[in-house]
Amino acid sequence: MNALLRNWIWPALCGVLLALLILQYYPHWLGMPERTAASAPVVSAEDIVREQPATQGPYSYSDAVQRAAPAVANIYTSKAADSETPQAFPAPPLRDYSETLPVPNRQQSSLGSAVILNAEGYLLTNNHVVADADEILVLLRDGREALAELIGTDPETDLAVLKINLPDLPVVTISPNQQRIGDVVMAIGNPFGLGQTVTMGIVSATGRNQLGLNTYEDFIQTDAAINQGNSGGALIDANGNLIGINTAIFSQSGGSQGIGFAIPANLAVEVMQAIISQGRVIRGWLGVEVQPLTNELAESFGLESREGIVVSGLYREGPAWNAGLMPGDVILHIDQEPVSNGRQAMNQVARAHPGQKVRLSILRDGQAMQFEAEVGVRPSFRG
């Protein structure tokens, strides 16, 4: 064994080690090129995949803003102020100039925003922006301006439709997608008269109602900063599509506190189309006042479930009155759809055409009953 190690194995191991040393330090002895920095593998610029500067997504929303912003206009309204209306700022001391100088009529001015919805010049804004205005001036982002005609208003959703006559108007596009909580959004408007401004946030909630702002409420809530002057402006998604009309803020200080509300674009467009074609929004109406079915009321009616709403009042000679409903009735279904709350029921009836008949499933004194009511035209309860 010792002879085998001495004669064969040790010489072989030494040879292998020597060959490795030669390859590492003296490759040219074997006719191979020396390994230098210059002989390292070459990678061209084409072989490197570089991350391109982002223009969308989480890095920049400039393209989305540039797409939507030209269709957002500034609104300036004015109306004559009577002598009893307090002035916003104290009047400067009077100086005795010539008595022949004309005395200007005092004006009250307000500002807001609007969104151009089509190339014919129709714009959407809030009713409270243009209410009682004698003159409405629309200023576009490109510097053009025009006096607007008030086509109509819908105080119950706080929307108004304006029209201007200018060529080559930019038009906003409507988002085809349903908004989700957490989606990135941007508010474009004219806060405090500073000029067009963009703020960013997310969709904080959808379907907000019972806020006491409008009769018909289905707000998108956002934390994008909305301030005075943003009313009537655009709430857009990350692609620059319109998803809502900025309407109100929840604030104890008068400034933005991260709770803003916008009317969904699909509802706003429906209202605009109705105003343009009919001059106003015609909604179905049953003439009932309702209240929630509380645990106490459900127990008193002998109900195990809180599904339904309680009729608390009826308009005399209204559709529900004529159908035979009475105060204290519990409405369980309207056209076989379960009724969960009064606002949902009101919206369901509002979508019905006047003259259409609806089937009401109610509970009266513990007995199930069926009534058929002919939907009437909802009166305008707000000016």
Side-chain angles (χ1 to χ4, degrees):
M1 182 64 181
N2 290 334
L4 181 63
L5 287 173
R6 183 172 57 253
N7 295 331
W8 296 100
I9 296 179
W10 284 115
L13 288 175
C14 291
V16 170
L17 291 174
L18 181 61
L20 291 174
L21 289 172
I22 293 173
L23 285 173
Q24 180 67 28
Y25 296 104
Y26 306 102
H28 57 283
W29 288 3
L30 303 177
M32 299 174 63
E34 294 187 52
R35 182 179 178 84
T36 64
S39 65
V42 177
V43 179
S44 67
E46 289 76 17
D47 296 327
I48 300 175
V49 179
R50 300 183 184 274
E51 185 175 3
Q52 298 298 318
T55 58
Q56 289 294 330
Y59 301 99
S60 174
Y61 298 96
S62 179
D63 288 352
V65 172
Q66 294 304 316
R67 181 182 181 189
V72 182
N74 296 342
I75 297 291
Y76 298 91
T77 66
S78 63
K79 63 179 179 179
D82 56 46
S83 59
E84 297 180 356
T85 303
Q87 299 183 55
F89 301 98
L94 294 177
R95 300 182 63 181
D96 188 15
Y97 292 114
S98 171
E99 295 181 358
T100 61
L101 291 176
V103 178
N105 293 327
R106 289 192 299 164
Q107 297 283 322
Q108 282 186 315
S109 298
S110 63
L111 53 89
S113 306
V115 184
I116 304 173
L117 266 294
N118 67 28
E120 296 179 6
Y122 288 102
L123 299 88
L124 266 174
T125 187
N126 286 137
N127 177 60
H128 74 259
V129 171
V130 297
D132 302 321
D134 296 323
E135 190 175 78
I136 304 170
L137 179 67
V138 176
L139 177 63
L140 302 187
R141 190 191 188 199
D142 61 15
R144 291 183 293 170
E145 61 182 43
L147 290 177
E149 175 189 0
L150 179 61
I151 301 300
T153 65
D154 184 43
E156 294 187 317
T157 55
D158 193 21
L159 288 169
V161 179
L162 309 175
K163 190 175 189 303
I164 57 175
N165 293 313
L166 287 175
D168 303 321
L169 289 172
V171 177
V172 75
T173 56
I174 308 296
S175 173
N177 302 320
Q178 183 73 25
Q179 277 61 60
R180 302 172 301 169
I181 296 173
D183 285 350
V184 170
V185 294
M186 286 156 282
I188 307 178
N190 180 26
F192 303 111
L194 295 174
Q196 192 174 90
T197 301
V198 182
T199 55
M200 189 188 77
I202 63 170
V203 173
S204 304
T206 58
R208 287 293 195 216
N209 54 48
Q210 299 182 349
L211 302 176
L213 299 174
N214 302 331
T215 303
Y216 293 92
E217 296 179 340
D218 183 22
F219 289 116
I220 300 169
Q221 181 182 329
T222 178
D223 66 344
I226 296 175
N227 289 287
Q228 297 177 24
N230 275 105
S231 293
L235 188 69
I236 65 171
D237 63 17
N239 295 314
N241 299 315
L242 182 73
I243 66 171
I245 302 295
N246 299 321
T247 297
I249 59 173
F250 179 86
S251 175
Q252 296 178 335
S253 65
S256 175
Q257 294 184 338
I259 303 178
F261 301 101
I263 300 169
N266 57 350
L267 173 59
V269 170
E270 288 177 7
V271 170
M272 182 187 75
Q273 292 172 339
I275 290 175
I276 293 173
S277 61
Q278 303 165 169
R280 65 189 182 103
V281 181
I282 298 176
R283 296 184 174 92
W285 179 67
L286 287 180
V288 295
E289 292 180 350
V290 298
Q291 66 184 72
L293 184 62
T294 62
N295 287 331
E296 293 78 9
L297 286 174
E299 185 178 351
S300 67
F301 292 138
L303 299 177
E304 297 180 358
S305 172
R306 286 182 52 193
E307 292 296 322
I309 52 177
V310 181
V311 176
S312 58
L314 294 162
Y315 285 87
R316 187 177 294 272
E317 304 301 330
W321 170 288
N322 293 332
L325 267 67
M326 298 176 61
D329 289 346
V330 179
I331 301 177
L332 302 176
H333 297 84
I334 299 178
D335 280 343
Q336 299 183 343
E337 290 189 27
V339 176
S340 59
N341 59 70
R343 188 163 297 275
Q344 174 249 334
M346 182 178 68
N347 290 338
Q348 181 181 348
V349 173
R351 292 192 297 268
H353 297 290
Q356 178 181 337
K357 292 185 178 181
V358 295
R359 195 81 175 171
L360 305 173
S361 301
I362 72 162
L363 197 67
R364 177 183 295 172
D365 297 329
Q367 295 186 352
M369 304 180 69
Q370 298 286 329
F371 291 89
E372 189 175 73
E374 183 176 316
V375 176
V377 177
R378 178 177 174 81
S380 179
F381 295 108
R382 299 177 61 178

